[in-house]
Amino acid sequence: MPTDQPRGAVRIDAEKSELRKEQDKEQDKGHDKGHDKGRKSGQSRTPALTLTAALLGFALITLDASVVNVALPAIGSALGGGLSGLQWTVDAYTLAFAALMLSTGAFADRAGASRAYGLGIAVFTLASAACGLAPTLPALVGARVVQGAAAAVVLPASLSLVRQAYADPAQRTRAVALWGAGGSVALALGPVAGGALTAAWDWRGIFFINLPLGAAALLLLVRAPRSERRPAPLDLPGQLTAVVTLTALTFAVIEGGTTGLVAFAVALAGAVLFVRVERRQAHPVVPPELFRDRAVRVSVATGVACSVAFYGVVFLFSLFLQQVQGRSALYTGLLFLPMSGLIGLTNVLSGKLAARHGPRLPMLIGQALAAAGLLGLLAVGSGTPAAVVAVLLVPMAVGCALTVPPLTVVMMDAVPAERAGLAAGVLNAARQVAGGLGIAVFGALVDGGFAAGMRASLALAAALFAATFVLSFRRAGRPASRA
């Protein structure tokens, strides 16, 4: 058999070989285009880095909601301003965060999650530097407003980054759960970190620590894919009236007197205008029909009670332990450690209870425990041992940690899937506003006498839980929610 092929056959084989090479090149190009398309659509080749960046930013803005409390006496000694000034130091951040959160989700969609996140972290970091360098209390409060506004941008953008980084639903669910747990732990550790930084450095250290953390988040963001921009309606009239209403209401509670009455009138007028504006908007930031469902009202009311209790108690006892009992900032922070350490574990337990028995059971247990804990704190006086105070703080914190995850489930089950993001924004905004107003009310009560004011504040928070317990008992936890 001859080994050589005819010339025609050789030519045909050569042409086939060239054709295969061209096809391989086209496939390679298509494969590269597919990767590029995947990157543009937000699927990251390094999802763990994207998750780390998002988690770091979220933890950073959550930490700043509670880290300031233990440092308040030191801030007051350095900058003056009295109790009302210290209240504004906390509430300036919380209110800007809460009020602007109503619209920042839409802004993140329009700008793209990665761009919005980068902008938010950059502004937050610069505002933190301004807080640390603040020469006066008004300058500090102004910088805290900017911090809160930036934080409102970071929160929805960070969650969007996590969602786009994981294409697999199971992996995405685990990533979102880790993101949420990181925020809860950061919030709980705020008082401890505040005490440690104030003792080891200065009150300015609680703001300067944000600079390297913010820079790290931005560096990690460089590896994340660029997010697509999506059309999203903005309700600017509704957002503006909400800011005016909430600011005026907080001003009325903190300042009081004739000025407070004027501010309250402005808040009332702003609330009426807000409702009228929202009814006429095609895409309102807070759709009035959302609250027609009783489950939504129960979830929001219960979330409000949890925020008033948690933020208010941390604020009160940060001042009580240092100004009444004469404890140091570090010692005060450490006394919050048992309470803080149990919050993350309780969140996980609450989720398991809700999955097995439905959300109603852990909601009711949590609210009852929080109310009992608040009533137990009524026994605290100037001579109460520090270890006893630390133990008495635990039931309230654990009760809130048991309550929040299932109330979120109830809220999400009560709205259509396409409105889940909007409902989550409304719930979180309501909780942040409640925390700020709770601090304002508690501060006003203790201004006339710390011991009596503290007991009145604790009793008010317990009464709030009693009311939401009744509402939850009657409504929360439909069979559909349990499924």
Side-chain angles (χ1 to χ4, degrees):
M1 181 179 291
T3 56
D4 292 334
Q5 291 180 325
R7 292 181 181 178
V10 173
R11 186 169 59 251
I12 291 172
D13 288 342
E15 289 173 355
K16 286 181 178 179
S17 178
E18 290 297 321
L19 180 61
R20 288 194 193 99
K21 288 180 181 178
E22 291 297 323
Q23 288 174 341
D24 290 341
K25 288 180 181 179
E26 289 298 320
Q27 287 178 354
D28 288 341
K29 289 179 181 178
H31 190 62
D32 290 340
K33 287 180 179 177
H35 272 294
D36 291 340
K37 186 176 180 181
R39 291 189 199 106
K40 289 178 181 178
S41 65
Q43 294 180 12
S44 174
R45 292 182 300 170
T46 55
L49 287 177
T50 303
L51 174 60
T52 304
L55 180 57
L56 182 56
F58 181 46
L60 196 59
I61 64 171
T62 307
L63 183 72
D64 259 57
S66 59
V67 73
V68 176
N69 286 286
V70 175
L72 288 176
I75 293 173
S77 298
L79 303 181
L83 182 59
S84 64
L86 299 182
Q87 289 172 274
W88 278 117
T89 303
V90 180
D91 280 353
Y93 179 84
T94 305
L95 287 175
F97 192 173
L100 295 176
M101 201 190 304
L102 296 171
S103 294
T104 49
F107 170 77
D109 285 340
R110 290 168 69 97
S114 58
R115 297 177 188 85
Y117 182 81
L119 174 64
I121 289 292
V123 174
F124 182 88
T125 305
L126 292 173
S128 297
C131 288
L133 296 170
T136 62
L137 193 64
L140 174 60
V141 171
R144 289 283 284 169
V145 170
V146 179
Q147 262 195 322
V153 175
V154 169
L155 192 151
S158 65
L159 181 56
S160 294
L161 283 176
V162 175
R163 287 177 60 85
Q164 76 180 26
Y166 291 87
D168 180 69
Q171 291 182 349
R172 185 167 61 241
T173 299
R174 287 192 291 269
V176 171
L178 183 60
W179 175 87
S184 297
V185 171
L187 179 66
L189 291 178
V192 183
L197 286 168
T198 302
W201 190 348
D202 189 344
W203 66 265
R204 299 180 188 274
I206 64 175
F207 299 113
F208 286 140
I209 196 66
N210 294 340
L211 274 61
L213 296 176
L218 289 174
L219 287 174
L220 289 169
L221 183 65
V222 172
R223 298 294 303 274
R226 291 292 172 266
S227 308
E228 291 183 353
R229 299 184 182 188
R230 294 180 294 174
L234 288 174
D235 176 16
L236 294 179
Q239 179 64 84
L240 180 61
T241 51
V243 169
V244 171
T245 301
L246 295 174
T247 303
L249 181 59
T250 306
F251 191 91
V253 175
I254 292 178
E255 300 300 333
T258 305
T259 307
L261 289 175
V262 174
F264 183 76
V266 172
L268 189 60
V272 172
L273 183 59
F274 175 76
V275 173
R276 296 190 64 176
V277 165
E278 293 301 271
R279 285 178 176 174
R280 296 177 181 179
Q281 288 290 321
H283 302 283
V285 291
V286 182
E289 65 271 14
L290 187 68
F291 289 91
R292 291 174 186 167
D293 192 307
R294 185 180 175 87
V296 171
R297 298 196 298 271
V298 169
S299 299
V300 172
T302 307
V304 164
C306 288
S307 290
V308 167
F310 184 84
Y311 285 103
V313 164
V314 172
F315 172 78
L316 282 179
F317 279 84
S318 295
L319 296 177
F320 171 79
L321 289 167
Q322 293 180 77
Q323 294 186 344
V324 176
Q325 291 198 335
R327 312 289 180 184
S328 68
L330 177 60
Y331 195 83
T332 298
L334 291 175
L335 289 177
F336 284 108
L337 190 57
M339 174 188 92
S340 304
L342 289 171
I343 288 178
L345 295 175
T346 307
N347 280 151
V348 175
L349 174 63
S350 178
K352 292 182 177 179
L353 285 173
R356 180 173 296 183
H357 303 289
R360 186 168 180 259
L361 179 64
M363 276 184 72
L364 293 174
I365 294 174
Q367 290 174 88
L369 183 60
L374 289 164
L375 294 176
L377 287 169
L378 290 173
V380 172
S382 58
T384 305
V388 174
V389 176
V391 170
L392 289 176
L393 286 169
V394 169
M396 180 280 303
V398 170
C400 290
L402 269 176
T403 304
V404 171
L407 76 83
T408 307
V409 172
V410 173
M411 181 80 169
M412 293 300 100
D413 283 350
V415 300
E418 63 271 13
R419 288 200 143 185
L422 185 147
V426 169
L427 176 61
N428 283 306
R431 290 180 58 203
Q432 290 290 332
V433 169
L437 289 176
I439 289 172
V441 171
F442 287 9
L445 289 172
V446 299
D447 199 26
F450 204 99
M454 186 172 75
R455 290 188 175 89
S457 300
L458 295 171
L460 177 62
L464 224 94
F465 269 120
T468 58
F469 179 92
V470 173
L471 292 174
S472 301
F473 185 82
R474 294 177 58 187
R475 180 59 180 169
R478 294 177 177 176
S481 297
R482 181 174 176 178

